[in-house]
Amino acid sequence: MNVPRLAVIIPCYNEELCVETTVKQIFVLFEHLINSNKISRDSYIYLVDDGSKDRTWSLIAKLHRDYNGLVKGMKFIANFGNQKALLAGLEAVRRIGCDCAVSIDADLQQDEYAIEKFLGKFSDGYDIVCGIRNDRKTDSLFKKTTALMFYKTMNILGVKIPVNHSDFRLVSRKALDVMELYGESSLFLRGFFNELGLKTAYVKFDVKPRFAGKSKFNFMSLMVLALNGITSYSVVPLRFVTVLGFLMVFFGVLVGLEAIFEKIFLDNSPNGWATLVILICVFGGIQLFCLGIIGEYVGQIFQEVKRRPRYITDIELK
Ligand code: UDP
Ligand code: MG
């Protein structure tokens, strides 16, 4: 195969403190990869401004001019979230043209030199190369625990996402073509690329602390991401509701039989007031819980049937 044209996609939300340094660092890596004949000279960086409220977009426009179009980008009209920004980037580089695309965060927390190993796997014939974080030293204990819980829950629910893989990955042109066939509005990319069944490799990398700015994720946005991931890739919670419902009916029949038995043979029925209240509370709670799970899926269906645009681009620099 010829030397591949690489596109590096970077989602940016209020990253004015990072974007220039990051682009420079990626170009240093590009220089090394071009000299060692691993990527072609027309490889480029694609920045997606996810509706930033700071100077991110004007910096991107400046980089586009300074680097003669080797920095390209688009600006969303509003903040659509990191997954949509990545998706837009992937679709854009497919349109523009590339042999493979790598997505990486704007704060370069992921070690960009792992991309060299990604390319090695790509030339060995892998269509998807997932970066796996070596450890979570830079994360708080809270983030570590919740992240681990998330991956474990996903795996229990039958969604095979690799543990400690965020969105640092290489995908081939072929994977991008396949992605185009999917019309779901909320694609959870980690789950998605893993489910395609394309040849996948894993590469470990070190995580660095964020070099400037603050994390753009808070507890709520991570919860939304996790719930989206679960409900768009697993029907296990739905099945769980059915099984639970069946068990409840069975249990209810047993309790009912017991009540009849007491009434007929022991004749002490006025008792049991407390039991009744407890049962009502417990069952009420379980029902609400189940309704909540169903609600999650109804929400997903609601989102999908509307067929709304997944993101709206304001400006694009090619
Ligand atoms: N990001 C985005 N839209 C958002 C939130 C985040 O495009 O609504 C980008 C952000 O600019 C960064 C990447 O997603 O490039 C990862 O975000 P961050 O580093 O803040 O997350 P963390 O590393 O703390 O999980
Ligand atoms: Mg980060």
Side-chain angles (χ1 to χ4, degrees):
M1 191 165 112
N2 292 336
V3 187
R5 184 184 192 194
L6 169 71
V8 169
I9 300 161
I10 310 179
C12 307
Y13 180 54
N14 294 341
E15 298 285 8
E16 61 180 6
L17 297 175
C18 292
V19 70
E20 284 171 306
T21 319
T22 299
V23 163
K24 268 188 210 128
Q25 306 245 88
I26 299 280
F27 275 126
V28 172
L29 169 72
F30 270 21
E31 212 40 54
H32 164 68
L33 293 173
I34 291 168
N35 291 336
S36 50
N37 228 13
K38 295 205 168 113
I39 61 171
S40 69
R41 281 227 158 256
D42 56 353
S43 297
Y44 59 94
I45 299 179
Y46 198 93
L47 300 157
V48 185
D49 179 354
D50 185 11
S52 299
K53 293 174 188 69
D54 63 0
R55 293 185 308 124
T56 303
W57 179 249
S58 57
L59 293 174
I60 293 176
K62 184 173 177 299
L63 289 163
H64 175 68
R65 289 191 299 274
D66 292 353
Y67 286 96
N68 291 327
L70 281 185
V71 173
K72 305 174 197 297
M74 73 160 73
K75 175 179 162 43
F76 282 177
I77 34 181
N79 180 236
F80 287 91
N82 145 295
Q83 293 292 297
K84 298 289 191 299
L86 284 170
L87 183 67
L90 291 165
E91 291 184 336
V93 301
R94 178 178 179 268
R95 269 195 313 271
I96 295 169
C98 66
D99 298 302
C100 55
V102 169
S103 46
I104 189 166
D105 288 352
D107 53 9
L108 283 193
Q109 282 197 273
Q110 297 117 333
D111 177 18
E112 69 274 22
Y113 281 82
I115 295 177
E116 191 168 1
K117 292 188 202 148
F118 286 12
L119 288 163
K121 294 284 181 194
F122 174 65
S123 67
D124 290 345
Y126 289 92
D127 280 303
I128 292 163
V129 187
C130 295
I132 306 285
R133 359 179 6 145
N134 264 334
D135 59 53
R136 290 187 160 260
K137 258 188 275 177
T138 55
D139 280 352
S140 65
L141 183 67
F142 178 71
K143 195 156 182 181
K144 254 185 242 175
T145 334
T146 44
L148 189 71
M149 268 166 57
F150 170 67
Y151 289 114
K152 288 283 168 233
T153 317
M154 289 295 272
N155 283 341
I156 290 168
L157 293 179
V159 190
K160 297 276 172 285
I161 54 167
V163 175
N164 283 341
H165 164 57
S166 47
D167 282 304
F168 184 31
R169 89 173 74 72
L170 176 145
V171 294
S172 66
R173 167 90 212 174
K174 184 169 157 193
L176 290 177
D177 289 344
V178 175
M179 191 186 83
E180 230 17 60
L181 304 174
Y182 286 71
E184 286 165 64
S185 75
S186 53
L187 274 187
F188 180 65
L189 295 168
R190 285 166 224 192
F192 175 74
F193 283 116
N194 224 49
E195 295 247 322
L196 289 182
L198 292 170
K199 221 175 146 200
T200 308
Y202 302 91
V203 167
K204 291 205 162 179
F205 70 91
D206 287 323
V207 186
K208 297 173 276 185
R210 187 179 245 280
F211 73 83
K214 282 195 301 232
S215 170
K216 305 299 177 303
F217 280 104
N218 55 32
F219 180 65
M220 271 317 282
S221 51
L222 284 174
M223 279 295 284
V224 169
L225 182 69
L227 267 180
N228 235 337
I230 292 171
T231 53
S232 53
Y233 277 93
S234 170
V235 288
V236 174
L238 271 182
R239 230 162 271 156
F240 172 73
V241 172
T242 323
V243 173
L244 196 69
F246 179 76
L247 289 177
M248 292 290 305
V249 172
F250 185 67
F251 185 65
V253 169
L254 283 186
V255 172
L257 283 178
E258 213 263 340
I260 294 170
F261 179 80
E262 282 200 15
K263 174 90 186 157
I264 298 175
F265 298 103
L266 306 175
D267 199 24
N268 56 358
S269 52
N271 296 333
W273 171 239
T275 325
L276 261 183
V277 173
I278 292 168
L279 282 179
I280 289 171
C281 292
V282 171
F283 289 152
I286 292 173
Q287 278 173 352
L288 275 183
F289 174 69
C290 295
L291 272 180
I293 298 183
I294 294 169
E296 277 299 320
Y297 283 93
V298 175
Q300 282 284 343
I301 295 168
F302 179 60
Q303 295 293 342
E304 295 300 340
V305 291
K306 280 185 296 189
R307 303 244 115 246
R308 285 201 180 154
R310 298 185 283 190
Y311 50 83
I312 305 166
T313 310
D314 195 1
I315 316 172
E316 186 172 12
L317 301 171
K318 284 196 260 196

